[in-house]
Short mmCIF file of all heavy atoms in Angstrom, two decimals:
data_model
loop_
_atom_site.label_atom_id
_atom_site.label_comp_id
_atom_site.label_asym_id
_atom_site.label_seq_id
_atom_site.Cartn_x
_atom_site.Cartn_y
_atom_site.Cartn_z
N ARG A 525 -6.42 26.05 -22.06
CA ARG A 525 -7.36 25.57 -21.04
C ARG A 525 -7.57 24.06 -21.26
O ARG A 525 -8.13 23.68 -22.33
CB ARG A 525 -8.71 26.32 -21.08
CG ARG A 525 -8.60 27.79 -20.67
CD ARG A 525 -9.88 28.49 -21.04
NE ARG A 525 -11.08 27.87 -20.53
CZ ARG A 525 -12.31 28.06 -21.06
NH1 ARG A 525 -12.49 28.91 -22.11
NH2 ARG A 525 -13.37 27.47 -20.53
N LEU A 526 -7.11 23.23 -20.31
CA LEU A 526 -7.34 21.85 -20.41
C LEU A 526 -8.86 21.55 -20.04
O LEU A 526 -9.22 21.78 -18.92
CB LEU A 526 -6.40 21.07 -19.49
CG LEU A 526 -6.60 19.55 -19.39
CD1 LEU A 526 -6.42 18.85 -20.70
CD2 LEU A 526 -5.73 18.97 -18.35
N LEU A 527 -9.56 21.01 -20.99
CA LEU A 527 -11.02 20.75 -20.78
C LEU A 527 -11.21 19.25 -20.58
O LEU A 527 -10.83 18.44 -21.47
CB LEU A 527 -11.78 21.27 -21.98
CG LEU A 527 -11.51 22.69 -22.36
CD1 LEU A 527 -12.33 23.08 -23.63
CD2 LEU A 527 -11.88 23.66 -21.26
N LEU A 528 -11.81 18.89 -19.51
CA LEU A 528 -11.95 17.43 -19.12
C LEU A 528 -13.40 17.04 -19.13
O LEU A 528 -14.25 17.71 -18.56
CB LEU A 528 -11.34 17.27 -17.68
CG LEU A 528 -9.82 17.52 -17.63
CD1 LEU A 528 -9.48 18.00 -16.24
CD2 LEU A 528 -9.11 16.20 -17.95
N HIS A 529 -13.65 15.95 -19.82
CA HIS A 529 -15.02 15.42 -20.02
C HIS A 529 -15.12 13.98 -19.41
O HIS A 529 -14.25 13.13 -19.63
CB HIS A 529 -15.32 15.36 -21.48
CG HIS A 529 -15.18 16.65 -22.22
ND1 HIS A 529 -16.25 17.50 -22.43
CD2 HIS A 529 -14.09 17.26 -22.78
CE1 HIS A 529 -15.81 18.59 -23.07
NE2 HIS A 529 -14.52 18.44 -23.28
N PRO A 530 -16.22 13.68 -18.70
CA PRO A 530 -16.42 12.36 -18.18
C PRO A 530 -16.86 11.40 -19.28
O PRO A 530 -17.87 11.65 -19.99
CB PRO A 530 -17.54 12.53 -17.11
CG PRO A 530 -18.27 13.74 -17.57
CD PRO A 530 -17.32 14.62 -18.30
N PHE A 531 -16.11 10.28 -19.43
CA PHE A 531 -16.46 9.23 -20.39
C PHE A 531 -16.61 7.90 -19.61
O PHE A 531 -15.98 7.71 -18.55
CB PHE A 531 -15.37 9.10 -21.45
CG PHE A 531 -15.49 10.03 -22.56
CD1 PHE A 531 -15.89 11.39 -22.39
CD2 PHE A 531 -15.17 9.61 -23.85
CE1 PHE A 531 -15.94 12.27 -23.42
CE2 PHE A 531 -15.26 10.55 -24.92
CZ PHE A 531 -15.63 11.85 -24.71
N PHE A 532 -17.41 7.00 -20.11
CA PHE A 532 -17.67 5.79 -19.43
C PHE A 532 -17.37 4.56 -20.37
O PHE A 532 -17.80 4.56 -21.50
CB PHE A 532 -19.11 5.63 -19.00
CG PHE A 532 -19.44 4.44 -18.15
CD1 PHE A 532 -19.23 4.45 -16.73
CD2 PHE A 532 -19.91 3.24 -18.74
CE1 PHE A 532 -19.52 3.34 -15.99
CE2 PHE A 532 -20.18 2.16 -17.96
CZ PHE A 532 -19.97 2.18 -16.56
N LEU A 533 -16.68 3.54 -19.85
CA LEU A 533 -16.46 2.30 -20.52
C LEU A 533 -16.98 1.13 -19.69
O LEU A 533 -16.84 1.10 -18.46
CB LEU A 533 -15.02 2.09 -20.82
CG LEU A 533 -14.38 2.92 -21.92
CD1 LEU A 533 -12.88 2.63 -22.06
CD2 LEU A 533 -15.05 2.68 -23.30
N ALA A 534 -17.56 0.13 -20.36
CA ALA A 534 -18.15 -1.00 -19.64
C ALA A 534 -17.11 -1.98 -19.11
O ALA A 534 -17.34 -2.71 -18.20
CB ALA A 534 -19.11 -1.76 -20.56
N GLU A 535 -15.90 -1.94 -19.70
CA GLU A 535 -14.87 -2.86 -19.31
C GLU A 535 -13.49 -2.21 -19.54
O GLU A 535 -13.35 -1.26 -20.35
CB GLU A 535 -14.93 -4.20 -20.08
CG GLU A 535 -14.69 -4.01 -21.59
CD GLU A 535 -14.73 -5.34 -22.37
OE1 GLU A 535 -15.05 -6.34 -21.69
OE2 GLU A 535 -14.38 -5.36 -23.48
N PRO A 536 -12.42 -2.68 -18.83
CA PRO A 536 -11.10 -2.14 -19.13
C PRO A 536 -10.73 -2.45 -20.57
O PRO A 536 -10.92 -3.55 -21.06
CB PRO A 536 -10.18 -2.91 -18.16
CG PRO A 536 -11.14 -3.44 -17.08
CD PRO A 536 -12.40 -3.66 -17.74
N THR A 537 -10.20 -1.49 -21.27
CA THR A 537 -9.88 -1.66 -22.70
C THR A 537 -8.55 -1.14 -23.07
O THR A 537 -8.26 0.09 -22.86
CB THR A 537 -11.00 -0.90 -23.57
OG1 THR A 537 -12.28 -1.33 -23.13
CG2 THR A 537 -10.77 -1.20 -25.00
N PRO A 538 -7.59 -1.97 -23.57
CA PRO A 538 -6.31 -1.46 -23.97
C PRO A 538 -6.44 -0.83 -25.35
O PRO A 538 -7.09 -1.33 -26.25
CB PRO A 538 -5.48 -2.78 -24.06
CG PRO A 538 -6.47 -3.85 -24.31
CD PRO A 538 -7.74 -3.47 -23.61
N VAL A 539 -5.82 0.32 -25.54
CA VAL A 539 -5.89 1.08 -26.82
C VAL A 539 -4.49 1.52 -27.20
O VAL A 539 -3.62 1.79 -26.31
CB VAL A 539 -6.84 2.35 -26.68
CG1 VAL A 539 -8.29 1.87 -26.28
CG2 VAL A 539 -6.33 3.31 -25.72
N ASP A 540 -4.26 1.64 -28.51
CA ASP A 540 -2.95 2.08 -28.98
C ASP A 540 -3.05 3.25 -29.94
O ASP A 540 -2.03 3.75 -30.43
CB ASP A 540 -2.14 0.92 -29.57
CG ASP A 540 -2.89 0.28 -30.76
OD1 ASP A 540 -3.94 0.85 -31.25
OD2 ASP A 540 -2.47 -0.77 -31.24
N ARG A 541 -4.24 3.74 -30.21
CA ARG A 541 -4.44 4.95 -31.01
C ARG A 541 -5.60 5.70 -30.52
O ARG A 541 -6.65 5.08 -30.03
CB ARG A 541 -4.64 4.58 -32.50
CG ARG A 541 -3.43 3.89 -33.12
CD ARG A 541 -3.50 3.80 -34.61
NE ARG A 541 -2.33 3.01 -35.15
CZ ARG A 541 -2.01 3.01 -36.45
NH1 ARG A 541 -2.83 3.58 -37.35
NH2 ARG A 541 -0.96 2.31 -36.83
N ALA A 542 -5.60 7.02 -30.61
CA ALA A 542 -6.69 7.90 -30.16
C ALA A 542 -6.94 8.92 -31.24
O ALA A 542 -5.98 9.58 -31.76
CB ALA A 542 -6.37 8.56 -28.83
N CYS A 543 -8.23 9.13 -31.64
CA CYS A 543 -8.53 9.95 -32.81
C CYS A 543 -9.54 11.06 -32.42
O CYS A 543 -10.48 10.84 -31.68
CB CYS A 543 -9.11 9.11 -33.89
SG CYS A 543 -8.18 7.63 -34.35
N VAL A 544 -9.33 12.24 -32.97
CA VAL A 544 -10.31 13.33 -33.02
C VAL A 544 -10.39 13.80 -34.43
O VAL A 544 -9.59 13.53 -35.28
CB VAL A 544 -9.91 14.47 -32.04
CG1 VAL A 544 -9.90 13.95 -30.60
CG2 VAL A 544 -8.50 14.99 -32.36
N GLU A 545 -11.48 14.60 -34.70
CA GLU A 545 -11.68 15.13 -36.05
C GLU A 545 -11.68 16.70 -35.97
O GLU A 545 -12.38 17.33 -35.24
CB GLU A 545 -13.03 14.66 -36.60
CG GLU A 545 -13.27 15.15 -38.04
CD GLU A 545 -14.58 14.71 -38.58
OE1 GLU A 545 -15.37 14.09 -37.86
OE2 GLU A 545 -14.96 15.12 -39.77
N VAL A 546 -10.82 17.21 -36.87
CA VAL A 546 -10.75 18.65 -37.07
C VAL A 546 -11.70 19.02 -38.23
O VAL A 546 -11.56 18.44 -39.37
CB VAL A 546 -9.33 19.14 -37.38
CG1 VAL A 546 -9.34 20.65 -37.68
CG2 VAL A 546 -8.41 18.78 -36.23
N THR A 547 -12.68 19.85 -38.05
CA THR A 547 -13.67 20.13 -39.09
C THR A 547 -13.40 21.53 -39.72
O THR A 547 -13.88 21.80 -40.84
CB THR A 547 -15.05 20.11 -38.49
OG1 THR A 547 -15.18 21.07 -37.45
CG2 THR A 547 -15.44 18.74 -38.05
N ARG A 548 -12.68 22.45 -39.00
CA ARG A 548 -12.25 23.68 -39.58
C ARG A 548 -10.87 23.98 -39.08
O ARG A 548 -10.59 23.79 -37.90
CB ARG A 548 -13.19 24.84 -39.21
CG ARG A 548 -14.62 24.67 -39.77
CD ARG A 548 -15.51 25.83 -39.46
NE ARG A 548 -16.84 25.64 -39.86
CZ ARG A 548 -17.85 26.54 -39.76
NH1 ARG A 548 -17.57 27.72 -39.19
NH2 ARG A 548 -19.04 26.21 -40.16
N THR A 549 -10.02 24.42 -39.99
CA THR A 549 -8.63 24.53 -39.61
C THR A 549 -8.31 25.72 -38.69
O THR A 549 -9.16 26.64 -38.59
CB THR A 549 -7.71 24.66 -40.95
OG1 THR A 549 -8.19 25.91 -41.56
CG2 THR A 549 -7.88 23.51 -41.81
N GLY A 550 -7.24 25.60 -38.02
CA GLY A 550 -6.75 26.68 -37.12
C GLY A 550 -5.21 26.64 -37.00
O GLY A 550 -4.58 25.93 -37.79
N THR A 551 -4.72 27.35 -36.08
CA THR A 551 -3.30 27.34 -35.84
C THR A 551 -3.00 26.62 -34.51
O THR A 551 -3.85 26.42 -33.66
CB THR A 551 -2.74 28.83 -35.70
OG1 THR A 551 -3.45 29.53 -34.66
CG2 THR A 551 -2.95 29.55 -37.03
N GLY A 552 -1.69 26.25 -34.38
CA GLY A 552 -1.28 25.53 -33.14
C GLY A 552 -1.58 24.03 -33.23
O GLY A 552 -1.64 23.46 -34.36
N VAL A 553 -1.75 23.48 -32.12
CA VAL A 553 -1.96 22.00 -31.99
C VAL A 553 -3.02 21.74 -30.98
O VAL A 553 -3.38 22.60 -30.14
CB VAL A 553 -0.74 21.21 -31.63
CG1 VAL A 553 0.39 21.44 -32.63
CG2 VAL A 553 -0.23 21.65 -30.21
N LEU A 554 -3.60 20.55 -30.99
CA LEU A 554 -4.53 20.06 -30.01
C LEU A 554 -3.87 18.96 -29.23
O LEU A 554 -3.57 17.89 -29.85
CB LEU A 554 -5.81 19.64 -30.62
CG LEU A 554 -7.02 19.48 -29.69
CD1 LEU A 554 -7.49 20.80 -29.18
CD2 LEU A 554 -8.20 18.69 -30.31
N ARG A 555 -3.58 19.12 -27.98
CA ARG A 555 -3.05 18.02 -27.22
C ARG A 555 -4.12 17.37 -26.39
O ARG A 555 -5.05 18.00 -25.92
CB ARG A 555 -1.98 18.59 -26.16
CG ARG A 555 -1.34 17.53 -25.28
CD ARG A 555 -0.31 18.10 -24.37
NE ARG A 555 0.87 18.47 -25.06
CZ ARG A 555 1.93 17.68 -25.31
NH1 ARG A 555 1.80 16.37 -24.93
NH2 ARG A 555 2.95 18.09 -25.95
N HIS A 556 -4.02 16.03 -26.31
CA HIS A 556 -5.15 15.30 -25.64
C HIS A 556 -4.59 14.12 -24.87
O HIS A 556 -3.48 13.66 -25.09
CB HIS A 556 -6.27 14.90 -26.64
CG HIS A 556 -5.85 13.98 -27.69
ND1 HIS A 556 -6.73 13.07 -28.34
CD2 HIS A 556 -4.66 13.81 -28.34
CE1 HIS A 556 -6.11 12.48 -29.30
NE2 HIS A 556 -4.84 12.84 -29.29
N GLY A 557 -5.45 13.64 -23.91
CA GLY A 557 -5.05 12.54 -23.07
C GLY A 557 -6.16 12.10 -22.17
O GLY A 557 -7.34 12.59 -22.32
N VAL A 558 -5.91 11.25 -21.23
CA VAL A 558 -6.92 10.68 -20.34
C VAL A 558 -6.42 10.75 -18.93
O VAL A 558 -5.28 10.37 -18.59
CB VAL A 558 -7.24 9.20 -20.72
CG1 VAL A 558 -8.04 8.54 -19.61
CG2 VAL A 558 -8.02 9.17 -21.99
N TYR A 559 -7.33 11.20 -18.02
CA TYR A 559 -7.04 11.19 -16.58
C TYR A 559 -7.97 10.18 -15.86
O TYR A 559 -9.12 9.93 -16.30
CB TYR A 559 -7.34 12.56 -15.95
CG TYR A 559 -6.23 13.60 -16.18
CD1 TYR A 559 -6.12 14.17 -17.44
CD2 TYR A 559 -5.29 13.90 -15.21
CE1 TYR A 559 -5.08 15.09 -17.69
CE2 TYR A 559 -4.24 14.80 -15.46
CZ TYR A 559 -4.17 15.42 -16.68
OH TYR A 559 -3.17 16.30 -16.95
N ALA A 560 -7.50 9.57 -14.81
CA ALA A 560 -8.29 8.62 -14.08
C ALA A 560 -9.40 9.36 -13.30
O ALA A 560 -9.35 10.58 -13.17
CB ALA A 560 -7.43 7.85 -13.05
N HIS A 561 -10.43 8.66 -12.86
CA HIS A 561 -11.51 9.16 -12.06
C HIS A 561 -11.22 8.92 -10.60
O HIS A 561 -10.78 7.82 -10.20
CB HIS A 561 -12.81 8.51 -12.47
CG HIS A 561 -13.97 9.00 -11.64
ND1 HIS A 561 -14.49 10.25 -11.76
CD2 HIS A 561 -14.74 8.36 -10.71
CE1 HIS A 561 -15.49 10.40 -10.93
NE2 HIS A 561 -15.71 9.22 -10.28
N ASP A 562 -11.38 9.96 -9.80
CA ASP A 562 -11.19 9.84 -8.34
C ASP A 562 -12.54 9.64 -7.72
O ASP A 562 -13.36 10.61 -7.59
CB ASP A 562 -10.49 11.08 -7.72
CG ASP A 562 -10.17 10.92 -6.28
OD1 ASP A 562 -10.73 10.04 -5.67
OD2 ASP A 562 -9.39 11.71 -5.79
N PRO A 563 -12.92 8.42 -7.27
CA PRO A 563 -14.27 8.22 -6.75
C PRO A 563 -14.54 8.99 -5.43
O PRO A 563 -15.68 9.20 -5.09
CB PRO A 563 -14.29 6.70 -6.48
CG PRO A 563 -12.89 6.28 -6.36
CD PRO A 563 -12.09 7.20 -7.24
N ALA A 564 -13.48 9.38 -4.70
CA ALA A 564 -13.68 10.10 -3.47
C ALA A 564 -14.15 11.53 -3.72
O ALA A 564 -14.86 12.10 -2.88
CB ALA A 564 -12.42 10.08 -2.63
N THR A 565 -13.72 12.09 -4.83
CA THR A 565 -14.15 13.51 -5.09
C THR A 565 -15.08 13.66 -6.24
O THR A 565 -15.75 14.69 -6.42
CB THR A 565 -12.85 14.29 -5.48
OG1 THR A 565 -12.29 13.87 -6.69
CG2 THR A 565 -11.83 14.30 -4.36
N GLY A 566 -15.26 12.62 -7.09
CA GLY A 566 -16.08 12.72 -8.26
C GLY A 566 -15.45 13.50 -9.35
O GLY A 566 -16.07 13.82 -10.37
N ARG A 567 -14.16 13.81 -9.21
CA ARG A 567 -13.49 14.58 -10.17
C ARG A 567 -12.28 13.82 -10.76
O ARG A 567 -12.00 12.72 -10.32
CB ARG A 567 -12.97 15.91 -9.51
CG ARG A 567 -14.08 16.87 -9.05
CD ARG A 567 -13.49 18.13 -8.55
NE ARG A 567 -14.48 19.20 -8.34
CZ ARG A 567 -14.24 20.44 -8.13
NH1 ARG A 567 -12.98 20.89 -8.19
NH2 ARG A 567 -15.24 21.28 -7.93
N PRO A 568 -11.56 14.45 -11.74
CA PRO A 568 -10.38 13.74 -12.24
C PRO A 568 -9.37 13.59 -11.16
O PRO A 568 -9.20 14.46 -10.28
CB PRO A 568 -9.89 14.72 -13.38
CG PRO A 568 -11.08 15.54 -13.70
CD PRO A 568 -11.91 15.65 -12.44
N ALA A 569 -8.59 12.51 -11.24
CA ALA A 569 -7.44 12.31 -10.31
C ALA A 569 -6.39 13.39 -10.63
O ALA A 569 -6.02 13.64 -11.76
CB ALA A 569 -6.85 10.92 -10.49
N VAL A 570 -5.83 14.03 -9.57
CA VAL A 570 -5.02 15.18 -9.76
C VAL A 570 -3.55 14.87 -9.99
O VAL A 570 -2.85 15.82 -10.45
CB VAL A 570 -5.16 16.13 -8.54
CG1 VAL A 570 -6.66 16.54 -8.35
CG2 VAL A 570 -4.66 15.50 -7.27
N LEU A 571 -3.05 13.67 -9.72
CA LEU A 571 -1.64 13.46 -9.73
C LEU A 571 -1.02 13.48 -11.16
O LEU A 571 0.14 13.78 -11.39
CB LEU A 571 -1.24 12.14 -9.12
CG LEU A 571 -1.39 12.15 -7.58
CD1 LEU A 571 -1.00 10.83 -7.04
CD2 LEU A 571 -0.44 13.26 -6.96
N GLY A 572 -1.77 13.15 -12.20
CA GLY A 572 -1.26 13.09 -13.53
C GLY A 572 -2.15 12.21 -14.37
O GLY A 572 -3.01 11.50 -13.90
N PRO A 573 -1.89 12.20 -15.69
CA PRO A 573 -2.77 11.48 -16.60
C PRO A 573 -2.48 10.02 -16.64
O PRO A 573 -1.36 9.53 -16.38
CB PRO A 573 -2.50 12.15 -17.97
CG PRO A 573 -1.08 12.58 -17.86
CD PRO A 573 -0.92 12.99 -16.40
N ILE A 574 -3.50 9.18 -16.96
CA ILE A 574 -3.20 7.80 -17.36
C ILE A 574 -2.33 7.84 -18.63
O ILE A 574 -1.43 6.95 -18.68
CB ILE A 574 -4.59 7.12 -17.63
CG1 ILE A 574 -5.35 6.94 -16.33
CG2 ILE A 574 -4.29 5.68 -18.24
CD1 ILE A 574 -6.76 6.38 -16.55
N ALA A 575 -2.64 8.72 -19.52
CA ALA A 575 -1.87 8.74 -20.77
C ALA A 575 -1.93 10.20 -21.31
O ALA A 575 -2.98 10.84 -21.35
CB ALA A 575 -2.37 7.73 -21.78
N ASP A 576 -0.81 10.70 -21.80
CA ASP A 576 -0.75 11.90 -22.62
C ASP A 576 -0.60 11.45 -24.04
O ASP A 576 0.49 10.85 -24.43
CB ASP A 576 0.45 12.75 -22.21
CG ASP A 576 0.50 14.02 -22.89
OD1 ASP A 576 -0.09 14.19 -24.00
OD2 ASP A 576 1.12 15.02 -22.40
N PHE A 577 -1.63 11.61 -24.86
CA PHE A 577 -1.62 11.10 -26.26
C PHE A 577 -0.67 11.94 -27.18
O PHE A 577 -0.49 11.64 -28.33
CB PHE A 577 -3.01 11.05 -26.80
CG PHE A 577 -3.96 10.11 -26.09
CD1 PHE A 577 -5.31 10.39 -26.00
CD2 PHE A 577 -3.49 8.91 -25.58
CE1 PHE A 577 -6.17 9.57 -25.40
CE2 PHE A 577 -4.37 8.05 -24.90
CZ PHE A 577 -5.73 8.36 -24.83
N GLY A 578 -0.22 13.12 -26.65
CA GLY A 578 0.56 13.96 -27.42
C GLY A 578 -0.27 15.00 -28.24
O GLY A 578 -1.49 15.18 -27.94
N SER A 579 0.32 15.62 -29.22
CA SER A 579 -0.40 16.68 -29.97
C SER A 579 -0.75 16.23 -31.38
O SER A 579 0.00 15.39 -31.99
CB SER A 579 0.54 17.89 -30.06
OG SER A 579 0.82 18.37 -28.78
N VAL A 580 -1.83 16.72 -31.90
CA VAL A 580 -2.24 16.53 -33.27
C VAL A 580 -2.39 17.88 -33.94
O VAL A 580 -2.76 18.86 -33.34
CB VAL A 580 -3.55 15.72 -33.42
CG1 VAL A 580 -3.35 14.30 -32.93
CG2 VAL A 580 -4.69 16.39 -32.65
#
Side-chain angles (χ1 to χ4, degrees):
R525 291 166 55 200
L526 174 62
L527 307 178
L528 294 151
H529 303 266
F531 277 38
F532 186 88
L533 285 179
E535 65 178 8
T537 306
V539 300
D540 58 11
R541 299 190 182 191
C543 311
V544 293
E545 182 183 359
V546 177
T547 57
R548 297 185 185 181
T549 61
T551 56
V553 299
L554 195 71
R555 180 178 287 275
H556 61 153
V558 166
Y559 283 77
H561 177 67
D562 185 344
T565 65
R567 293 187 172 195
V570 300
L571 286 180
I574 294 174
D576 184 339
F577 297 147
S579 301
V580 294

